[in-house]
Amino acid sequence: MISCSWYPTKLLLLNDDIKIRVSSSCNKYSFCHFSKFKKENIRPDGRELGEFRATLLNVGTINTAHGSALVKLGNTTILCGVKGEFAAPPVNEPKKGYLVPNVELPPLCSSQFKVGPPSEQAQVVSQLIDDIVRSSNLINLESLNIAEGVVLSGGESVYFFCVGTGVAPGFACCWGATKLPERGPKALSKLSWVLHCDMICLDYDGNIVDASLIALLAALKNVLLPAVRIDEDTGRAVTSQEGSIPLKLSCQPVATSFVVFDDTILLADPTKEEEGLATGAVTVVVNEEGDICSVHKPGKEGALYLPRKFMTASGDVSRDLRKLDSWLRKHWRVVKDDVPTGAYDLD
Amino acid sequence: MEESQIREISCEQSVLSKPDGSSDFSQGDSSVMVGVYGPADVKQNKEILDRATIEVIFKPKIGLPGVREKAMEKMISNTCQAIILTTMHPRSSITIVVQVVQDAGSLLSCCINAVCLALMDAGISMKCMVAAVSCAISEDGEVILDPTLKVAQVASSVMHFAFESKEKDVILSSTQGMCSPDQYLSCLASCQEASDKIFTFYRTSAERRFSKT
């Protein structure tokens, strides 16, 4: 058997006082490679154990969507676009609209994803984001209601036409027609917004839940929905750019993910390699008041779990994330005056 | 208190002839049937060199499985990965089929408990047992264990936990709705306590099954 020491070693300088000798036979993605760094309480990319990667945010990147944002968390890149459409409200809840989050992991973002129907992981993350949105009451779904029980004249099929005017950044025309159900000579109709929130991963380097939630939040804060008026004569829904309204978000949930390495160490904001080597993972979602929206620990190997440690850790990290929070607040104020586009460095 | 108790549990093992292990588990009115096949052949693209591939198929009572079911599948399979000694059966598959018979609340924990009993029946080597307990926080802040569908609908939050039998460590945690950190920890503690009842049930059911009388 060839021992590791036969191979030339490489001296890695992470910062001024930490030098780590790594054997070149040690695979970059292997456990032994990571263990060397673990001893120094540092990670291969130079971060401390509880440190997050640099976050870049670019808001209003897509001008054909109602709201959009691009988030970079280290290398992980998520692009979120929110598009509003007209739809009939749910039958059992006629006063509400919908919010449909969807996470896509295309083959572009990593070799582990193939073309075809959404991968298992994409579905699981979509479901988790949906659960978080529901749990935190992020949006009052009743505010997405446009018209409830409008009496429309005429027996023939009535179409709703959404007429948009002009294209401004962060605001797009929504061209669409919704056929209304015919019910006798007078149709009683209900209309709501359905917000399709598509989060597309462009680069997959771990911690996709946190990045997706930041992207979703930033994009939703960027949303400007056109004002809708229902023309009583024609039964058409007419949209106008004047009086377009931003969405009201009731809270700002921030997700913080950790992985458990070697059953003893907690790493915040894991990269893809760290996720692969970890024995367990947990995502804690807290809002600005410190209430828990979700604690998601999806089994996995390594039963270690220290609830209090996770709780306090998430507290610390969310304090770090106040930067993001305060920045989003600042951004939210800007949204009211003007539609902001552009890139921002959150750190 | 009547409300903060786990509903009545009953279980029958080896109910199906074809699977290597099966269980018909019910917790109150929630009922789940589980079949376990394995260790068996694995499809080449799912083969893992140093351990067994665990595959969970979750079948809802009606309709086709959707994204929610996929998420349940993933949670169940991750939980199983934590307890099964997968390295004992490299390059083979363990397939777990979960069929919902009746959903009357706390479905996820009901499924996990049923899966654990089916794995025991199949004789698959495990590090430890797993027991799952759900709880809900009612609007007035009371913790209700093993909530029914009706209770869960009006509750401010619902949580599911799975514990392993050795140290009572948490394997799985999944929450819906908002709560404070203190509420979360108190729910965790009461579920941890209640998991004892399920572990005792596992033991007595195994004892009864294998005793000669």
Side-chain angles (χ1 to χ4, degrees), chain A residues 51-258:
Chain A
E51 200 180 325
F52 268 70
R53 288 172 287 182
T55 318
L56 283 167
L57 187 56
N58 198 334
V59 179
T61 32
I62 311 168
N63 60 10
T64 49
H66 285 129
S68 62
L70 181 104
V71 169
K72 273 187 82 120
L73 193 61
N75 285 332
T76 301
T77 313
I78 306 271
L79 179 65
C80 177
V82 179
K83 183 88 179 164
E85 263 180 11
F86 288 160
V91 182
N92 52 348
E93 287 164 327
K95 283 186 181 170
K96 288 187 176 174
Y98 302 90
L99 189 107
V100 188
N102 182 38
V103 177
E104 261 179 66
L105 299 170
L108 171 76
C109 70
S110 164
S111 59
Q112 75 186 84
F113 305 112
K114 302 279 176 263
V115 275
S119 65
E120 191 182 48
Q121 197 186 351
Q123 293 186 44
V124 169
V125 177
S126 299
Q127 181 66 43
L128 181 60
I129 299 280
D130 189 41
D131 280 345
I132 292 168
V133 169
R134 279 170 204 276
S135 297
S136 59
N137 294 318
L138 186 60
I139 286 183
N140 180 9
L141 290 178
E142 284 181 17
S143 68
L144 296 177
N145 189 30
I146 299 167
E148 193 208 347
V150 194
V151 181
L152 298 160
S153 54
E156 75 270 35
S157 334
V158 189
Y159 287 85
F160 268 141
F161 279 100
C162 176
V163 186
T165 45
V167 179
F171 166 76
C173 338
C174 173
W175 296 97
T178 311
K179 192 180 176 189
L180 297 169
E182 291 175 60
R183 281 200 205 101
K186 287 203 167 187
L188 189 68
S189 264
K190 301 177 178 88
L191 195 63
S192 285
W193 283 109
V194 50
L195 296 181
H196 292 284
C197 310
D198 286 308
M199 285 152 272
I200 299 169
C201 183
L202 302 177
D203 194 343
Y204 184 90
D205 193 20
N207 201 5
I208 188 169
V209 178
D210 293 13
S212 302
L213 198 62
I214 297 170
L216 177 67
L217 212 67
L220 283 174
K221 278 174 184 266
N222 181 236
V223 166
L224 274 178
L225 286 176
V228 185
R229 184 175 54 82
I230 289 171
D231 195 318
E232 280 173 20
D233 301 330
T234 57
R236 281 173 166 185
V238 185
T239 61
S240 63
Q241 200 182 346
E242 279 148 45
S244 51
I245 33 167
L247 270 183
K248 206 170 170 192
L249 302 190
S250 59
C251 64
Q252 301 178 40
V254 178
T256 44
S257 291
F258 306 90

Side-chain angles (χ1 to χ4, degrees), chain B residues 31-157:
Chain B
S31 178
V32 168
M33 193 178 263
V34 177
V36 173
Y37 293 90
D41 265 357
V42 63
K43 264 196 225 160
Q44 211 163 22
N45 59 349
K46 286 184 179 167
E47 190 176 279
I48 308 172
L49 283 180
D50 58 346
R51 60 199 144 97
T53 309
I54 295 173
E55 212 180 343
V56 175
I57 301 161
F58 183 90
K59 290 274 180 195
K61 189 178 159 194
I62 33 170
L64 289 168
V67 179
R68 188 166 289 278
E69 282 70 29
K70 205 80 186 166
M72 292 266 276
E73 266 177 21
K74 191 76 186 159
M75 280 196 271
I76 297 171
S77 87
N78 276 340
T79 307
C80 292
Q81 247 167 47
I83 58 162
I84 296 175
L85 290 165
T86 45
T87 40
M88 295 272 284
H89 310 286
R91 302 169 67 182
S92 56
S93 85
I94 296 169
T95 308
I96 301 163
V97 189
V98 182
Q99 171 67 56
V100 178
V101 180
Q102 174 95 354
D103 177 12
S106 313
L107 187 66
L108 181 60
S109 46
C110 191
C111 289
I112 291 172
N113 296 338
V115 166
C116 184
L117 282 158
L119 288 170
M120 276 162 76
D121 186 43
I124 287 169
S125 8
M126 293 190 275
K127 280 180 223 165
C128 50
M129 306 275 116
V130 62
V133 183
S134 302
C135 75
I137 300 175
S138 64
E139 299 231 300
D140 46 348
E142 203 184 338
V143 178
I144 302 163
L145 281 174
D146 201 15
T148 58
L149 222 47
K150 226 183 233 172
V151 173
Q153 263 163 9
V154 294
S156 66
S157 72

Side-chain angles (χ1 to χ4, degrees), chain A residues 255-267:
Chain A
T256 44
S257 291
F258 306 90
V259 291
V260 184
F261 186 69
D262 203 14
D263 274 359
T264 45
I265 299 170
L266 271 182
L267 304 180

